[in-house]
Amino acid sequence: MSETAQHSAHHIDVKEFHPRARAAIHNPQIRQNFRKAMDGLMTKRKSAFEGWDLETLRDLGANIRLRALANLPDLLEQLEQKLTENGITVHWATDGDEACEIVRDICLARNAKSVIKGKSMVSEEMELNHYLEEQGIEALESDLGEYIVQLADETPSHIIMPAIHKNTEEISQLLHDKTGTDLSHDVEYLTANARLQLREKFMNADVGVSGVNFAVAETGTLCLVENEGNGRMTTTVPPCHIAVTGIEKVVPNLEDVTALLALLTRSATGQHITTYFNMISGPRKADELDGPEEVHVVLVDNGRSTIYQDDELLDTLRCIRCGACMNHCPVYTRVGGHAYGTTYPGPIGAILMPHMVGLDEGRHLPTASSLCGACGEVCPVKIPIPDLLVRLRQESVDGDTVHPAKVAGHGAKRSTVEAMIWKGWSWMHARPGIYRLGTALGARFRKLQPGKIGGWTQYRTAPKLAAKTLHERMKERSQ
């Protein structure tokens, strides 16, 4: 994690996942809000794919992402060349700190005092709002969900629907307290008032900051998917537009975008297509009436190059940020996004965030999963999330000779006692006579078995050894 993020007012100790998860589980309002929202999203996704050959489409999406990643260095060079030809200024950032400094320098060069932001998870990685505020530049979120969590001084709890942890009553009370809106359960009324308040901000903002869903190398086109129109306002009304994106978002051509877009919108919100699909190809031309005078793109690495160097972990970068894995995860559905304490919660966060914060900080993330496999089954680009979770679990305790540890902070969960127990288990199973003697002694003295076995019996009953071993039972059966 960048130094900027570490000193943010929103910084949460990732290692404290378990206390936050327990608190969420015992909060009936949180559980009800997430259960209702996730059930609705799963139903909409299922309906949206009816009549489609979903597996073929997923194979196509996976192959597009794999091909793009296989050629990532060349595609990034091509993208930079095309963007530059289109009049867009390209910046490269090693981490979140450097990306924040680039945005700050652009704002200072224009004497900008206010920034309006569209939805961008990479800017959340950078903790850009906090950084700009420290520099004396107002940063206001324009996506309704992001606007709500900003008013509440919170972080997003879902990568697609940031305020999904709140119900209508909570949002109404928040808007009433912060903006003077009348208390109401009428969603259209609340939305209209928020839109009215944001409209003036759009017109007066000096700089607009957005994310990017897909960056097309062949044409130098930035694609932005959204439903509220705030993305289009952010990228066209202020005189300067800055797009921030991870380096993995590049695809070879526009034809590739069509399949990924079909998968993204249906997997994310169950929509056949979003209300807006923006294609940004450069600043305003001399004969055009609107659009920004300047367009900048900040290509952010922030640990992605390290992931790219591992043939197995590379699959993490296929993600198109739809959130379907989170919607179907039994852990995320019950504890919500804030329990993770990370920018990306849920299964995708469990495989991505350890690379950003290190396994010493994010040691509990790979184990925040039942390994039921639901995340992998619904992933539109077929990321083998359960396999990657197992790999990161191995890295967190080291000792895997097949996949030597590579992630920063590896070995953080290694216990000398546990390692000795497993070595003893391995030694015993390699010696049949010792194994039979050990299991026979275990069966004979099973009444001495402890009733409490650490964390296992915190929520479960202790397993009991059988009176006879399997070998003894099979021997009796054969007589």
Side-chain angles (χ1 to χ4, degrees):
M1 181 178 285
S2 71
E3 290 298 315
T4 301
Q6 288 179 357
H7 293 93
S8 163
H10 289 138
H11 176 64
I12 299 172
D13 188 351
V14 181
K15 293 194 293 292
E16 298 300 311
F17 168 77
H18 287 140
R20 288 193 298 270
R22 277 194 290 272
I25 287 172
H26 291 96
N27 185 329
Q29 189 63 61
I30 288 289
R31 294 195 62 174
Q32 182 180 346
N33 291 351
F34 274 93
R35 182 75 269 173
K36 182 180 179 181
M38 297 300 107
D39 285 350
L41 287 169
M42 287 191 290
T43 301
K44 288 180 179 178
R45 174 189 175 274
K46 184 178 180 181
S47 176
F49 280 117
E50 284 182 358
W52 285 68
D53 185 350
L54 179 55
E55 288 310 301
T56 300
L57 186 60
R58 290 178 70 213
D59 284 335
L60 178 59
N63 288 330
I64 289 172
R65 292 300 297 137
L66 286 170
R67 181 162 53 90
L69 291 172
N71 300 291
L72 184 60
D74 292 337
L75 289 176
L76 285 171
E77 288 186 5
Q78 184 183 8
L79 176 68
E80 182 180 26
Q81 179 186 344
K82 290 297 179 182
L83 288 170
T84 304
E85 290 175 2
N86 292 344
I88 298 174
T89 306
V90 179
H91 309 264
W92 298 84
T94 305
D95 54 27
D97 280 344
E98 188 174 1
C100 282
E101 290 166 4
I102 291 169
V103 174
R104 175 203 60 191
D105 290 346
I106 296 170
C107 291
L108 291 179
R110 298 188 62 86
N111 196 28
K113 301 297 182 187
S114 63
V115 167
I116 191 89
K117 280 183 69 242
K119 194 170 184 310
S120 164
M121 290 309 298
V122 174
S123 73
E124 295 290 341
E125 281 180 42
M126 299 157 52
E127 299 238 4
L128 181 60
N129 289 359
H130 172 72
Y131 180 84
L132 290 178
E133 287 172 8
E134 283 188 338
Q135 306 301 314
I137 300 171
E138 180 191 28
L140 183 68
E141 297 286 351
S142 63
D143 174 88
L144 183 57
E146 293 277 1
Y147 178 62
I148 289 168
V149 296
Q150 187 178 30
L151 286 177
D153 197 25
E154 296 175 345
T155 55
S157 59
H158 190 285
I159 63 172
I160 299 297
M161 285 150 286
I164 204 165
H165 56 289
K166 293 186 178 297
N167 57 30
T168 305
E169 184 175 356
E170 291 171 319
I171 293 171
S172 174
Q173 187 65 54
L174 176 68
L175 293 176
H176 174 72
D177 294 342
K178 298 290 185 177
T179 68
T181 302
D182 292 340
L183 291 172
S184 172
H185 285 180
D186 185 344
V187 175
E188 290 188 8
Y189 165 78
L190 296 174
T191 304
N193 273 275
R195 182 179 292 121
L196 190 64
Q197 291 156 16
L198 286 169
R199 179 73 58 166
E200 184 181 348
K201 298 290 184 180
F202 277 117
M203 302 309 294
N204 296 323
D206 299 308
V207 172
V209 174
S210 76
V212 175
N213 290 100
F214 310 108
V216 183
E218 183 182 51
T219 58
T221 305
L222 307 175
C223 302
L224 188 59
V225 180
E226 48 130 354
N227 275 314
E228 300 172 10
N230 66 303
R232 182 160 296 179
M233 295 279 283
T234 299
T235 59
T236 57
V237 175
C240 177
H241 169 216
I242 305 173
V244 293
T245 179
I247 58 173
E248 81 282 13
K249 293 291 184 70
V250 63
V251 294
N253 51 57
L254 283 170
E255 186 178 358
D256 290 333
V257 173
T258 56
L260 295 176
L261 181 61
L263 284 164
L264 174 61
T265 58
R266 288 171 173 81
S267 299
T269 55
Q271 292 175 281
H272 295 280
I273 186 70
T274 48
T275 308
Y276 296 89
F277 179 69
N278 305 287
M279 301 173 72
I280 301 157
S281 56
R284 181 199 311 177
K285 304 292 189 301
D287 58 344
E288 293 177 339
L289 298 178
D290 55 17
E293 301 164 357
E294 291 180 23
V295 178
H296 299 259
V297 173
V298 184
L299 295 165
V300 184
D301 187 320
N302 206 24
R304 290 164 173 82
S305 292
T306 304
I307 301 174
Y308 187 75
Q309 295 172 29
D310 186 286
D311 290 341
E312 184 180 20
L313 299 175
L314 169 66
D315 288 333
T316 307
L317 299 180
R318 286 193 223 170
C319 181
I320 58 174
R321 306 288 191 268
C322 69
C325 60
M326 300 159 60
N327 304 342
H328 291 75
C329 175
V331 176
Y332 175 86
T333 303
R334 283 158 180 79
V335 304
H338 288 156
Y340 294 81
T342 54
T343 303
Y344 302 95
I348 186 58
I351 62 172
L352 179 59
M353 291 307 301
H355 300 282
M356 297 184 178
V357 302
L359 273 171
D360 45 351
E361 281 286 317
R363 66 187 67 176
H364 298 305
L365 298 177
T367 54
S369 166
S370 64
L371 293 182
C372 67
C375 50
E377 291 177 5
V378 299
C379 176
V381 288
K382 292 195 168 183
I383 299 174
I385 297 175
D387 294 341
L388 297 178
L389 289 170
V390 172
R391 166 71 187 280
L392 290 171
R393 289 183 184 188
Q394 292 168 340
E395 293 242 349
S396 68
V397 295
D398 271 340
D400 180 4
T401 56
V402 178
H403 301 103
K406 294 181 179 177
V407 181
H410 58 81
K413 293 188 73 175
R414 187 173 181 81
S415 160
T416 303
V417 173
E418 184 178 352
M420 290 178 65
I421 291 173
W422 283 114
K423 282 186 178 179
W425 182 89
S426 175
W427 180 83
M428 189 174 79
H429 278 68
R431 293 162 177 80
I434 300 294
Y435 175 81
R436 282 195 291 273
L437 176 62
T439 53
L441 288 174
R444 300 297 179 273
F445 296 99
R446 64 194 182 97
K447 291 184 179 179
L448 300 178
Q449 180 184 345
K452 300 289 184 182
I453 312 175
W456 178 266
T457 49
Q458 190 172 359
Y459 301 104
R460 310 173 184 87
T461 56
K464 293 186 180 300
L465 292 172
K468 294 181 180 179
T469 68
L470 177 62
H471 284 145
E472 290 171 338
R473 287 175 178 272
M474 295 304 295
K475 187 177 180 180
E476 288 179 357
R477 182 177 291 185
S478 63
Q479 289 176 346

